[in-house]
Amino acid sequence: MKERPSFPAQLNRTSARPKAQGALAGKTVSHGIGLDSSAVRMNMVARLSKQGVTDARIVAALQEIERHRFVDSALVNQAYEDTSLPIGLGQTISKPSVVARMAELLCHGVSGKLGRVLEIGTGCGYQAAVLSRLADEVYSIERLRGLHEKARENLRHLRLANLHLLFGDGMLGYAKGAPYAAIIAAAGGEAVPQAWIDQLAVGGRLVAPVVKGVGRGAQQALLVLEKTEQGVRQSVLESVHFVPLKSGVA
Ligand code: SAH
């Protein structure tokens, strides 16, 4: 039997990839590297689906966006494990299950696409790419110039016309794009900045990690905030581990 080439060694960031449908249809023709990464990615999404990610829009987005293109070459072989990974400057790419969970919370009760979305914490750009498949328009802010530029580089091949990368302090939101149908933060602070609530549309939804408790007992949990005509409604869900939300740029 011919030995199948191992997955990480076969990845090449610059080579063209086959159409996802080809791989999905389980064609026997080997497309080389693209098919290999595609199969591993499909497995990752299948595992997430088993764990309860059922929204077809999110499943499709996770199948489509190649997570291995967003991490350093030394970490490529871990790109399809459900784990966060370092992306430089002390930051991390979120776990796929967490990206899926937050997307699900944003999309809940919305049929079709989300309208305009604001993401705080572009990082390497992976979640921004996933969101761009779920929304009409995505504005994503990063406070670290190095990562803002890295994300731009990582995302170039996807040519996502509806994704706008911004360099700045996301604690201020981005008033020019407001009101947003959804706001999602990939970094956790003590409280949700008022600017985010102001920039959220009535009927819109915000998902963010927030710190609960003080001192040694402090823990992050996922907060879902809905803005209604009557005010805001908040629910605190499971605990999570995100990098801290910081003010200013660097
Ligand atoms: N969703 C990202 C996760 C990146 S980690 C991904 O898929 O890679 C969270 C990011 O939030 C970090 O890059 C960090 O620099 C950024 N961040 C923290 N505070 C911020 C702020 N006030 N404004 C914008 N970005 C911020």
Side-chain angles (χ1 to χ4, degrees):
M1 206 175 83
K2 214 174 141 201
E3 210 181 319
R4 185 182 167 85
S6 68
F7 161 58
Q10 292 295 307
L11 287 172
N12 176 342
R13 283 163 173 270
T14 54
S15 68
R17 66 196 169 105
K19 288 251 177 342
Q21 283 84 350
L24 273 173
K27 286 192 178 160
T28 49
V29 194
S30 174
H31 291 288
I33 59 113
L35 181 60
D36 282 351
S37 99
S38 174
V40 182
R41 188 164 52 260
M42 296 305 148
N43 281 341
M44 174 192 84
V45 181
R47 285 195 302 274
L48 293 177
S49 297
K50 263 195 203 140
Q51 288 163 27
V53 179
T54 52
D55 188 314
R57 296 166 289 184
I58 297 168
V59 168
L62 293 171
Q63 285 176 333
E64 185 188 345
I65 306 299
E66 300 178 317
R67 192 169 183 256
H68 70 265
R69 288 180 181 261
F70 293 85
V71 298
D72 288 344
S73 47
L75 298 171
V76 154
N77 61 340
Q78 294 174 66
Y80 295 107
E81 288 171 19
D82 191 21
T83 175
S84 55
L85 295 167
I87 52 172
L89 303 178
Q91 309 304 317
T92 53
I93 181 174
S94 308
K95 276 166 84 155
S97 59
V98 170
V99 172
R101 169 75 170 141
M102 290 176 92
E104 215 158 36
L105 290 169
L106 285 187
C107 291
H108 185 78
V110 179
S111 61
K113 286 204 169 181
L114 293 165
R116 263 199 315 274
V117 174
L118 175 67
E119 179 192 43
I120 293 96
T122 313
C124 65
Y126 173 71
Q127 180 171 271
V130 171
L131 291 171
S132 81
R133 313 315 289 149
L134 305 172
D136 292 331
E137 216 73 47
V138 178
Y139 292 87
S140 180
I141 311 183
E142 173 56 55
R143 66 177 287 275
L144 298 176
R145 190 178 282 282
L147 284 178
H148 167 71
E149 282 164 6
K150 193 181 228 181
R152 192 172 289 291
E153 189 61 38
N154 289 342
L155 288 159
R156 187 163 292 138
H157 73 284
L158 286 170
R159 298 172 203 272
L160 300 168
N162 68 338
L163 171 57
H164 314 284
L165 298 183
L166 309 160
F167 171 60
D169 181 359
M171 283 181 84
L172 309 172
Y174 181 64
K176 283 188 189 155
Y180 298 99
I183 298 181
I184 179 168
E190 303 282 318
V192 171
Q194 186 58 42
W196 300 357
I197 299 171
D198 293 344
Q199 292 171 25
L200 191 63
V202 170
R205 191 178 277 207
L206 180 156
V207 179
V210 284
V211 179
K212 293 274 143 200
V214 284
R216 284 178 146 264
Q219 260 201 338
Q220 277 182 354
L222 220 45
L223 176 88
V224 177
L225 183 151
E226 286 163 289
K227 187 163 166 179
T228 68
E229 296 281 5
Q230 290 77 39
V232 297
R233 206 166 39 219
Q234 304 191 35
S235 24
V236 178
L237 307 175
E238 70 267 24
S239 51
V240 282
H241 301 280
F242 280 85
V243 295
L245 181 72
K246 292 186 178 172
S247 60
V249 294

